[in-house]
Amino acid sequence: MGEFDLIRRYFTRPTPNAVLGVGDDCALLRLGPGMQMAISTDMLVAGRHFFPDVDPRTLGHKALAVNLSDLAACGARPLAFTLALALPDTNTNWLHAFSQGLLALADAHGCELVGGDTTRGSLNICITVFGEVPAGTTARAGQPATQALLRGGAQAGDDLYVSGTLGDARLALEALQGRLALPDAVLASARQRLECPTPRVALGMALRGIASAAADISDGLLGDLGHILERSAVGATVDTHIAIELLASYVDLTRARSLFDQQLLQETALRCVLGGGDDYELVFTASPAQRAAVQGASIASATPLTRIGKIDAEPGLRLVDAQGATVLNTFASFDHFNP
């Protein structure tokens, strides 16, 4: 099968919302009046971002999900995406499953595949996604006039929230790389979170005008929260005893007493929740005056939210336990160039 046959067979579809889709040198997208375009690119590399034996259907889902998560963090509505795909060969079974997983998530979010490229090489998936977000009428100092959620708007006194659950993806990675033994049922559940994340697009749009700053959690809670703190020139205090409860598998792990003592269990939970990546949840800040509105966004988007701390005027990140005592921060987030 040649390159263009491959594109026509697996990745060419009608694009009713785009002016022009696959087939020309460029795609043409239509923006609504008063809207700005949000653009993000992510690359997934075999052996670095996913295991060789991953189900190609879930890989197709994740390849787009990580990009949609970036749009969610900006409060943008998905419009379209392009796909650049390097393949070692044209395995039709693999391509069918991959394209089905990719396009099912695209259809669920009304995000059309409008172009891209294919080549022979080591398996590498690069997606660029396009979304739209309303323009703003006024701009904060040093920021554009937009209704998009940005990293730079957190204020001292703001509440600190995360969506969904955290740490299961890192828990699966620890087990799959042989550093941790997990019961089969726990590993299966955690691996599902690693390989098939849920982009919080509806929540991101619901938080426009409510959240003061936001980011998606791709490299670990503390690392991605750190981007908000740096851009906003503020600090934060995180309640680690609340954070531990965000590990969905924690209850199951507490039952596996033969594998863990209590101290090891708590250390594992903290490492996964605070330093683990691949969660693709949102971390965001909002004024305490917006608590009812935040709850409304949670209900409207059917997404659970947890308040895990607060934003401080004093720079730096502080971790505390249930008694308010300081917890030593030894939780490194993922870095592509740090082994």
Side-chain angles (χ1 to χ4, degrees), residues 22-152:
V22 175
D24 277 69
D25 290 306
C26 291
L28 301 176
L29 303 183
R30 180 185 296 110
L31 288 182
M35 305 299 283
Q36 297 168 330
M37 183 171 287
I39 304 169
S40 181
T41 299
D42 268 295
M43 183 184 300
L44 298 183
V45 178
R48 183 62 172 171
H49 298 101
F50 57 90
F51 292 98
D53 65 343
V54 67
D55 180 344
R57 186 179 299 272
T58 60
L59 180 59
H61 172 102
K62 183 171 183 176
L64 181 57
V66 302
N67 285 269
L68 293 178
S69 183
D70 286 328
L71 291 186
C74 287
R77 182 177 74 87
L79 293 177
F81 70 102
T82 60
L83 169 67
L85 187 61
L87 295 166
D89 55 56
T90 55
N91 181 319
T92 57
N93 290 333
W94 189 96
L95 280 164
H96 175 76
F98 175 83
S99 63
Q100 290 298 302
L102 176 83
L103 298 175
L105 185 63
D107 288 346
H109 290 278
C111 192
E112 299 177 341
L113 176 57
V114 295
D117 192 22
T118 58
T119 189
R120 182 180 291 275
S122 299
L123 182 56
N124 189 320
I125 307 157
C126 185
I127 286 179
T128 297
V129 70
F130 305 89
E132 65 175 12
V133 64
T137 55
T138 59
R140 291 182 179 178
Q143 298 195 59
T146 182
Q147 293 184 40
L149 306 178
L150 305 177
R151 293 176 175 178

Side-chain angles (χ1 to χ4, degrees), residues 259-281:
L259 295 178
F260 295 92
D261 62 43
Q262 186 60 37
Q263 183 62 31
L264 178 59
L265 177 57
Q266 181 156 320
E267 290 173 359
T268 299
L270 280 175
R271 183 172 71 252
C272 291
V273 169
L274 300 179
D278 278 312
D279 293 306
Y280 298 102
E281 298 290 351

Side-chain angles (χ1 to χ4, degrees), residues 169-194:
R170 172 65 179 269
L171 191 68
L173 187 62
E174 295 273 321
L176 292 169
Q177 292 184 334
R179 294 191 293 268
L180 185 67
L182 294 176
D184 290 344
V186 175
L187 176 56
S189 175
R191 186 166 187 173
Q192 178 71 9
R193 287 279 288 150
L194 172 67

Side-chain angles (χ1 to χ4, degrees), residues 213-295:
D216 82 321
I217 303 174
S218 55
D219 297 328
L221 171 61
L222 297 191
D224 291 309
L225 171 58
H227 299 317
I228 291 177
L229 303 185
E230 180 180 3
R231 293 294 291 269
S232 301
V234 293
T237 299
V238 173
D239 297 320
T240 60
H241 66 290
I242 297 176
I244 285 179
E245 296 174 2
L246 295 170
L247 182 62
S249 296
Y250 190 76
V251 173
D252 292 325
L253 289 175
T254 60
R255 296 174 180 147
R257 293 295 184 182
S258 61
L259 295 178
F260 295 92
D261 62 43
Q262 186 60 37
Q263 183 62 31
L264 178 59
L265 177 57
Q266 181 156 320
E267 290 173 359
T268 299
L270 280 175
R271 183 172 71 252
C272 291
V273 169
L274 300 179
D278 278 312
D279 293 306
Y280 298 102
E281 298 290 351
L282 298 187
V283 53
F284 66 94
T285 61
S287 166
Q290 295 280 19
R291 287 181 182 176
V294 169
Q295 179 63 18

